[in-house]
Amino acid sequence: MKFMKLGTQPDTFYTEEATRSVISDEPSDLVVQINNVSYLLHKFSLLPKCGLLQRLCSDFDESSNETIELHDIPGGEEAFELCAKYCYGITINLSAHNFVPAFCAAKFLRMTEAFEKGNLVLKLESFLHSCILEGWKDSIVTLQTTSKLTEWSENLGIIRKCIDSIVEKILIDPAKVSWSYTYTRTGYKKSQKSIPKDWWTEDISDLDIDLFRCIITAIRSTYILPPQLIGEALHVYACRWLPDTTRIIPSENSVSQAEGVTEKNRRILESIVSMIPADRGSVSVGFLLRLLSIANYIGASPVLKTELIKKCSLQIEDATPSDLVFPSHSSASQHFYDVDLLVLVIESFLILWRRQPPESVENTRLGRAIRKIGRLIDTYLQAVARDKNMPVRKVVSLAEALPDISRKDHDDLYKAINIYLKEHPDLSKEDKKRLCRSLDCQKLSPEVRAHAVKNERLPLRTVVQVLYFEQEKGSRATDPRMLTHELLSRGKQMQIIRDDLNKLRLGGDEQSVRTVGMGRTPISESSARDYQKKKETR
């Protein structure tokens, strides 16, 4: 950080109640009132350097004490005091932290060359160009301080000069970077010879969103940096300013959201989304999903949510299961996972998928993508199923959101269903049927079919369908006699007449499996075939 020291005299300002005075042998003849502070000063020290005070005092008698009100001076009493001390020759230290208010106040007081050669404005302009704008962090700190004096800083060109300096340094070849910067990523050491391409992202993330947007807009207009670097800057800024919804307990949201979420967060989110480059992969789908979760949490506009859903759907096949784990923030929800939001993303993807002719989908990017999504969702469902408060309807809605082509096999879907049944032992018979309705028994591997037949958590209808397809395929992995024995051994809850089951195995079209004592609907071979036809036409 660069400093400029002006003046050589010791500080002789002192405070008495709400009055600031200067130790002097001469009595005060000028009172300057700023807000609630009064300054007792001397005309012979201030007037030669301050054009404004000269004009304001011209109408008064030179021998009288005069009171001047300067409530509108930029920077307030602190900035005025810097200028006043300069007039007295008292030592002042200027840096990027106090340059903006000092410069604006000096301009306001007209401390220019027209009134004294080498006046304060000239010295401050020299400091700006020779030190502040030449430095990296000095330019950023100075730009930060302009937020309190935005209009003055804009009119005096401070904001534009700082932004130009920052952008110029960002666009330089990383190998030529010689100034200090902040980079705290895991595994990175400043001693490394190679400088990361995104070395600048953390420092500019300290800026207000409007100033940050100006820098990003200026960078993008040059078309020099790749979209991925722009996306990384947006990611760093979002992590710096937006809430981390993965650490918020859903049950506490109703209170914290009403009190803690401000309009500023919505504005930041809207700005970040508007700056995301249109190029695919400029930001990760995990980042987009996080923004979508934040939008849901802070109550962003439906238009913004729709835009984020569309962006997520364009890259959803690149997501990982951990990317999908974001909490539900609905006040009516007791479950953790926001399944509804993910269903909306899947439906948005399917809109694009359905536009393709069915015969051309198989080997296209969308065809490969939908199969990746199928594996992703089934893995995610296994995590969702462990939530004891997750309603069965939400699991079913997500499982059925994808078309049949998305799953080459149903092994992972079966695992998710089995986990849900295990974690929800009190599930009703109807809910069990709803849960298993998306399961295609023909797409189960021999090992999984063998497990399903032994699975007492499954509805009997599902077990019989698995048994039928197992025997129809003549699997070597499982002996049909063992499967029959397994069904018969399920005790009083699932007693099946052996003769009817043998007829099913032999393929009698009109034979049926009858259940005793449970009130279950009989399932015949033709019913199983009808079931399969329905699955194929879905």
Side-chain angles (χ1 to χ4, degrees), residues 459-495:
L460 180 57
R461 176 187 294 271
T462 303
V463 174
V464 173
Q465 288 164 354
V466 172
L467 175 61
Y468 168 74
F469 291 121
E470 175 69 20
Q471 296 184 57
E472 186 181 62
K473 290 188 175 185
S475 172
R476 298 179 181 178
T478 308
D479 187 345
R481 289 174 295 179
M482 183 274 288
L483 295 171
T484 303
H485 173 73
E486 187 62 40
L487 273 176
L488 292 169
S489 67
R490 292 181 69 162
K492 295 180 180 180
Q493 293 183 353
M494 305 172 98
Q495 296 206 9

Side-chain angles (χ1 to χ4, degrees), residues 299-326:
S301 67
V303 174
L304 183 69
K305 289 182 184 179
T306 301
E307 184 178 354
L308 276 171
I309 288 171
K310 183 178 179 180
K311 288 180 180 294
C312 290
S313 67
L314 294 174
Q315 295 181 221
I316 186 62
E317 73 268 23
D318 298 327
T320 63
S322 60
D323 291 333
L324 308 182
V325 180
F326 43 85

Side-chain angles (χ1 to χ4, degrees), residues 133-136 139 165-172 179 199:
L133 297 181
E134 290 298 314
W136 166 248
S139 298
S165 172
I166 293 169
V167 171
E168 181 183 359
K169 292 177 177 63
I170 290 174
L171 296 178
I172 199 170
W179 46 83
W199 61 268

Side-chain angles (χ1 to χ4, degrees), residues 202-425:
E202 289 189 31
D203 286 327
I204 69 167
S205 70
D206 289 334
L207 295 170
D208 175 83
I209 185 61
D210 293 326
L211 296 173
F212 176 79
R213 184 210 290 271
C214 289
I215 290 176
I216 295 299
T217 302
I219 294 171
R220 292 183 64 179
S221 66
T222 65
Y223 298 97
I224 294 176
L225 297 185
Q228 290 75 15
L229 268 182
I230 305 297
E232 179 61 20
L234 298 178
H235 180 264
V236 171
Y237 195 89
C239 291
R240 170 75 172 79
W241 292 101
L242 293 176
D244 185 356
T245 57
T246 62
R247 297 184 179 182
I248 298 171
I249 302 174
S251 60
E252 298 179 355
N253 287 345
S254 58
V255 176
S256 62
Q257 184 173 353
E259 297 177 354
V261 178
T262 64
E263 185 62 31
K264 180 180 178 181
N265 286 337
R266 296 188 185 96
R267 190 165 62 89
I268 290 174
L269 180 62
E270 289 173 359
S271 297
I272 289 175
V273 173
S274 68
M275 287 185 281
I276 295 176
D279 309 66
R280 176 183 169 83
S282 59
V283 294
S284 69
V285 66
F287 175 56
L288 290 171
L289 288 167
R290 185 196 164 197
L291 292 182
L292 181 57
S293 177
I294 293 172
N296 207 33
Y297 172 65
I298 66 177
S301 67
V303 174
L304 183 69
K305 289 182 184 179
T306 301
E307 184 178 354
L308 276 171
I309 288 171
K310 183 178 179 180
K311 288 180 180 294
C312 290
S313 67
L314 294 174
Q315 295 181 221
I316 186 62
E317 73 268 23
D318 298 327
T320 63
S322 60
D323 291 333
L324 308 182
V325 180
F326 43 85
S328 172
H329 299 297
S330 171
S331 58
S333 301
Q334 295 183 343
H335 52 276
F336 181 79
Y337 301 93
D338 198 337
V339 176
D340 293 338
L341 215 55
L342 187 55
V343 170
L344 292 175
V345 174
I346 298 299
E347 289 176 347
S348 179
F349 171 83
L350 291 177
I351 291 175
L352 299 175
W353 180 77
R354 292 190 184 102
R355 291 174 184 171
Q356 303 296 316
E359 61 276 5
S360 65
V361 168
E362 184 67 25
N363 296 317
T364 62
R365 187 194 70 81
L366 283 175
R368 294 187 295 272
I370 202 167
R371 288 189 290 273
K372 287 181 66 177
I373 294 171
R375 293 191 294 271
L376 174 69
I377 295 302
D378 288 347
T379 304
Y380 173 73
L381 282 171
Q382 293 174 34
V384 169
R386 291 182 169 87
D387 186 345
K388 295 185 181 296
N389 295 319
M390 180 61 63
V392 67
R393 59 181 174 81
K394 292 187 179 292
V395 177
V396 171
S397 67
L398 183 55
E400 295 183 345
L402 291 170
D404 287 342
I405 192 177
S406 64
R407 296 181 175 99
K408 285 191 173 182
D409 64 69
H410 279 216
D411 287 5
D412 287 337
L413 180 60
Y414 171 81
K415 291 176 185 177
I417 291 173
N418 186 44
I419 292 171
Y420 190 89
L421 292 172
K422 183 178 179 180
E423 297 295 331
H424 302 77

Side-chain angles (χ1 to χ4, degrees), residues 143 146 149-150 153-154 157-164 211:
L143 189 58
T146 62
L149 295 168
T150 304
S153 300
E154 186 69 42
I158 301 174
I159 293 177
R160 176 46 51 195
K161 290 175 182 177
C162 288
I163 289 177
D164 290 344
L211 296 173

